[in-house]
Amino acid sequence: MPVFKKYDLNKQSIEVPGTRTPGATGHYRHVGFVDGLVENIRADPTVKTLYDLFQSSLAKFQDKDMLGSRNYDPVTKTWSGYIWQSYRQVDQRVNAFGSGVMHINEAILGNTQLNRWSLGIWSLNRPEWFISEMICNYYNLVSVPLYETLGPDAVEYVMNHAEIKVAVVSGNHIASLLEMSDKLPNLRAIISMDSLAEGVLAPGVSSASSILRAWSNDRGIKIYDFQQVEALGREYPRRHIPPQPEEVASLCYTSGTTGQPKGAMLTHRNFIAAVGANREGMVTDHTDTVISYLPLAHIMGRVVDTNSAYSGCRIGYFRGDLLLLMEDIVELKPTFFPTVPRLLNRIYAKVVASTVDAPGLVGKLARRGVATKLANLEAGKGVTHPLWDRLLFNKVKMALGGNVQAILTGSAPIAKEVLNFLRVAFGCIILEGYGATEGMATATITMADEHQPGIVGCPRSGVELKLVDVPEMNYFATDKPFPRGEIMIRGATVFKGYYKDEKNTLDTIDSEGWLKSGDIGFIDNRGCLTIIDRKKNIFKLAQGEYIAPEKIENVLLSRCNLVMQIYVHGDSLESTLVCVAIPDPETFLPFANAIAGTNVTMTDPVGLGKLLKDPKVKTAYLKELEKAGQAGGLRGFEVVKRVHLSMDMFSVENNMMTPTSKVRRPQVKEYFLDAIKSMYDDIHFTTIVAKL
């Protein structure tokens, strides 16, 4: 099980004396690392690259289970349990696949550049993803993950920007690459993670793989499957080409809400520093099992899996379907569950419904048990209870397989009530982290025995941070009771810069190596950071108040279970905010039916459309948003005054969302422009009538 290092909760970070400058706080460091930041894995200082990391794990854990996945039987239409490959078996496959890729690059494609070229990886999490990334570390290549949900324009841009010659992809993406291949002049070979073995569907009918091979031939692109390349590698083995610490290990493209994606250059040193910093707070080992479902194209998922590989953990991959994720978790029985608030909010809603909101004796007992455990948590007595766990909560824990000892959440805020309820319901430690791709998702994290929700913890052992004045938003390092300002981060985890993009690099990292986060926070008297605002995408209302819509959206998303997606809108010509909300069908339908006196289901689009437009439903929904805003501490001018309800979800396909689930604001505004205008017309009309 994960082991946590203990520190004083009342003094988690310290402002280093003599480091204050005009317009900024001093440098805050973790209380245990004031005299020096961690830049490597202190227990294993010879590990300097991702190549070293895996060789170290191989020596210690070679016959232990490493990568697990579930197989589908098309005959019985059932899934197997987890089938495991050992560290030794994974190493053998990395050697074979890597040698095969190097042979294809040199002997078949005739490329004279033997290393430092970019390998594209495009698929959901699976063993082949890990193996594809690891060959980059064995043969000094640069991995370029592509988000599973990237649209064609972004795929084309990244493939060309990173000059990808060879792409390893799941079978469902082969056709997409071939379709756009005339726009991908660098692409020379596609390797399918899924088998392309020939199979006759019917007399005279070609198999799908035959069609793909003929298509790729026509486009002048070589196509292989994983097994073919491994066989080639066994026939033509290659020596390893170990990388150097300062060389780029991966180009991680950040999907911004505007403009083209930016390729963050993450070095081997960055990855090792992230693993080292993580291990100073929580240590996992070969007895631990981790569920891998967070996209490996996103840095949080990569850091978790890299740290797990170093620790000798078992890494179990989900089947690729988020609707089946909970089934995978029950089957895997992980001890460590890295996740995001959106999933925790859904788990919270279901657990609440079956416990504290349950009718009769069950609900009564659950409410008493939760109250007792929450009081103990607040008093610093931990998250377990001998009586209530035995009576009630041990059954609740089975929803996560029964073995989870620690949950890590990040990427977005999580409501205080959700966080503490889940802590006591599952009787486990929940860590909340904060970071960015450009800093290896490793900036701050809460301590294991933290019981105060709403904070994102103190600086990691390898990171120092400071707050810088943002005068236009009235945030200053001299504010009382606590300093406020833009969060800036420095340490060995901070990236090298953006690939082929000096301007954005200079705009993001200053001359002293400080990474500008764009987030606003304050640091309390315990040395803990709280995120309170967002510097980017701010605008002024007509009365001069600054608005950070993303902050408001996060508050409403985390505190109102009726919301699946939301877009908050305002501009300098209006004095109020309006919003477009995509309701969560699971919670919205019972809510709306009760108000409208109907019995509409998701299979009744006409009835659903009427509910979404029903004035009584919209008024009640708006009241729920107001309650959530008040609970989240929104100020009066930050409360939305009208809502437009729609089931037109923001997605990558309709260009209203990035692959990392960030709202593309200009596109959403354009799509819902008529609804936004109608909401403001209604506000203006109501104002005029009120004056008559």
Side-chain angles (χ1 to χ4, degrees):
M1 63 176 284
V3 176
F4 299 90
K5 297 189 178 181
K6 299 285 187 180
Y7 297 96
D8 183 2
L9 274 181
N10 294 315
K11 203 65 183 173
Q12 300 188 25
S13 74
I14 293 173
E15 188 178 14
V16 179
T19 57
R20 290 190 185 183
T21 54
T25 65
H27 307 169
Y28 283 83
R29 291 184 175 181
H30 188 292
V31 68
F33 302 91
V34 175
D35 295 331
L37 300 177
V38 170
E39 296 188 354
N40 59 6
I41 303 170
R42 290 201 299 166
D44 212 344
T46 59
V47 172
K48 296 180 179 179
T49 66
L50 290 170
Y51 176 78
D52 299 338
L53 181 144
F54 193 64
Q55 295 307 306
S56 169
S57 298
L58 182 62
K60 291 180 283 190
F61 312 116
Q62 53 186 302
D63 293 319
K64 300 285 186 185
D65 290 341
M66 184 189 183
L67 304 182
S69 56
R70 302 180 70 182
N71 294 340
Y72 181 71
D73 185 332
V75 177
T76 62
K77 297 183 179 179
T78 57
W79 289 88
S80 70
Y82 275 87
I83 298 170
W84 295 92
Q85 301 172 58
S86 69
Y87 278 77
R88 187 202 303 271
Q89 289 170 321
V90 171
D91 171 64
Q92 289 169 349
R93 293 193 69 189
V94 173
N95 275 297
F97 186 66
S99 293
V101 169
M102 298 301 280
H103 178 75
I104 289 169
N105 176 65
E106 186 180 351
I108 298 175
L109 301 182
N111 291 331
T112 55
Q113 185 179 352
L114 302 185
N115 63 352
R116 307 304 309 140
W117 48 273
S118 296
L119 180 77
I121 308 174
W122 192 11
S123 97
L124 290 168
N125 302 18
R126 54 191 289 178
E128 292 80 8
W129 207 110
F130 182 92
I131 291 167
S132 299
E133 180 191 24
M134 192 53 66
I135 74 165
C136 297
N137 304 325
Y138 274 41
Y139 295 97
N140 201 6
L141 308 180
V142 179
S143 65
V144 184
L146 294 161
Y147 286 96
E148 181 67 11
T149 51
L150 273 180
D153 291 346
V155 170
E156 178 190 332
Y157 176 81
V158 172
M159 293 281 288
N160 288 330
H161 191 257
E163 301 171 47
I164 293 172
K165 300 178 179 71
V166 181
V168 187
V169 305
S170 51
N172 59 311
H173 292 310
I174 298 173
S176 300
L177 284 182
L178 290 175
E179 215 168 79
M180 66 176 76
S181 58
D182 57 334
K183 300 176 182 177
L184 305 175
N186 300 298
L187 183 63
R188 302 288 305 284
I190 297 172
I191 302 170
S192 173
M193 294 183 181
D194 298 295
S195 175
L196 294 177
E198 294 296 339
V200 178
L201 302 178
V205 179
S206 298
S207 69
S209 60
S210 295
I211 295 169
L212 289 174
R213 289 185 190 281
W215 193 3
S216 65
N217 246 0
D218 184 57
R219 296 298 176 103
I221 293 173
K222 301 289 184 183
I223 189 167
Y224 306 88
D225 67 21
F226 222 82
Q227 291 76 17
Q228 283 179 288
V229 177
E230 287 181 285
L232 267 177
R234 287 190 289 269
E235 188 176 352
Y236 301 100
R238 296 289 180 120
R239 289 183 180 177
H240 298 167
I241 308 173
Q244 296 300 310
E246 298 302 329
E247 288 182 306
V248 175
S250 187
L251 292 178
C252 197
Y253 280 82
T254 61
S255 302
T257 52
T258 57
Q260 295 289 7
K262 300 188 291 291
M265 295 186 286
L266 304 176
T267 66
H268 286 270
R269 179 174 181 255
N270 293 150
F271 274 92
I272 299 306
V275 172
N278 275 278
R279 289 187 68 79
E280 294 298 336
M282 181 182 80
V283 178
T284 50
D285 64 22
H286 68 275
T287 65
D288 283 302
T289 300
V290 181
I291 180 75
S292 178
Y293 91 94
L294 296 177
L296 291 174
H298 192 284
I299 196 59
M300 182 176 170
R302 297 273 291 291
V303 169
V304 168
D305 280 17
T306 302
N307 188 66
S308 299
Y310 174 75
S311 303
C313 298
R314 300 197 313 168
I315 303 170
Y317 297 101
F318 82 130
R319 284 172 286 175
D321 187 343
L322 286 174
L323 295 177
L324 302 176
L325 175 62
M326 298 309 290
E327 292 178 19
D328 290 333
I329 290 172
V330 170
E331 178 69 27
L332 183 65
K333 296 178 175 54
T335 58
F336 179 37
F337 177 29
T339 188
V340 289
R342 183 175 175 183
L343 181 63
L344 290 180
N345 287 338
R346 285 175 142 340
I347 293 172
Y348 166 77
K350 289 186 176 179
V351 174
V352 165
S354 64
T355 55
V356 295
D357 284 352
L361 183 61
V362 171
K364 187 175 181 180
L365 284 172
R367 288 189 287 276
R368 187 171 173 186
V370 167
T372 301
K373 291 191 73 177
L374 284 174
N376 281 356
L377 179 67
E378 184 65 28
K381 296 179 181 179
V383 293
T384 60
H385 191 283
L387 174 62
W388 289 113
D389 288 346
R390 182 167 53 83
L391 284 179
L392 182 65
F393 296 108
N394 285 341
K395 293 176 185 175
V396 174
K397 289 175 68 173
M398 296 309 296
L400 298 180
N403 291 339
V404 169
Q405 303 295 316
I407 294 173
L408 170 65
T409 180
S411 83
I414 183 168
K416 300 176 183 180
E417 56 272 21
V418 174
L419 187 61
N420 277 353
F421 177 87
L422 292 179
R423 278 173 170 155
V424 300
F426 288 117
C428 71
I429 289 165
I430 302 184
L431 308 169
E432 186 171 6
Y434 165 72
T437 299
E438 293 83 353
M440 296 296 301
T442 305
T444 69
I445 197 166
T446 53
M447 291 187 178
D449 45 358
E450 182 61 73
H451 53 82
Q452 181 177 318
I455 62 171
V456 291
C458 65
R460 296 288 191 98
S461 59
V463 168
E464 58 185 348
L465 64 83
K466 66 178 179 179
L467 303 180
V468 177
D469 291 351
V470 186
E472 68 271 25
M473 297 178 74
N474 290 317
Y475 292 122
F476 298 96
T478 53
D479 284 346
K480 303 296 180 184
F482 305 124
R484 303 188 300 174
E486 181 182 2
I487 302 160
M488 299 184 74
I489 301 153
R490 187 167 67 174
T493 53
V494 172
F495 78 146
K496 194 172 186 174
Y498 294 116
Y499 185 53
K500 299 179 183 175
D501 193 345
E502 186 178 0
K503 180 185 181 301
N504 275 313
T505 298
L506 292 174
D507 287 344
T508 306
I509 310 176
D510 73 11
S511 58
E512 295 180 336
W514 289 96
L515 174 66
K516 304 170 187 176
S517 73
D519 291 315
I520 310 294
F522 72 81
I523 299 176
D524 64 23
N525 56 354
R526 300 191 306 155
C528 293
L529 178 68
T530 298
I531 311 294
I532 56 173
D533 219 330
R534 181 77 176 146
K535 187 178 177 183
K536 294 180 181 178
N537 293 324
I538 63 170
F539 56 81
K540 268 185 183 180
L541 290 176
Q543 68 271 40
E545 299 284 4
Y546 278 98
I547 296 293
E550 290 169 329
K551 180 198 79 169
I552 298 171
E553 289 159 2
N554 283 331
V555 167
L556 299 180
L557 275 167
S558 64
R559 284 175 170 79
C560 183
N561 69 353
L562 296 174
V563 179
M564 181 172 281
Q565 296 176 323
I566 194 163
Y567 164 77
V568 171
H569 180 84
D571 63 51
S572 59
L573 299 178
E574 301 288 350
S575 59
T576 56
L577 300 174
V578 296
C579 73
V580 174
I582 313 299
D584 185 331
E586 198 170 317
T587 52
F588 173 72
L589 282 175
F591 170 83
N593 280 326
I595 292 164
T598 54
N599 191 26
V600 175
T601 66
M602 281 301 291
T603 58
D604 177 9
V606 175
L608 181 59
K610 288 179 179 177
L611 280 182
L612 293 172
K613 294 176 182 176
D614 189 318
K616 291 185 293 183
V617 171
K618 289 168 74 171
T619 298
Y621 196 98
L622 191 62
K623 284 181 180 177
E624 293 302 312
L625 293 179
E626 289 173 1
K627 287 180 194 173
Q630 289 168 0
L634 296 184
R635 293 166 289 183
F637 58 84
E638 293 176 310
V639 175
V640 294
K641 298 302 181 184
R642 293 291 187 277
V643 62
H644 173 74
L645 300 177
S646 171
M647 283 299 177
D648 294 342
M649 289 189 66
F650 316 152
S651 68
V652 175
E653 289 73 25
N654 61 25
N655 204 33
M656 289 194 282
M657 182 168 279
T658 73
T660 49
S661 299
K662 294 175 184 172
V663 175
R664 294 189 189 274
R665 311 195 72 80
Q667 288 83 348
V668 175
K669 175 187 173 184
E670 181 65 26
Y671 186 87
F672 290 103
L673 197 57
D674 289 344
I676 290 169
K677 183 177 183 301
S678 177
M679 286 188 281
Y680 276 121
D681 286 347
D682 185 51
I683 290 172
H684 300 156
F685 177 76
T686 303
T687 304
I688 291 169
V689 169
K691 291 178 179 178
L692 294 177

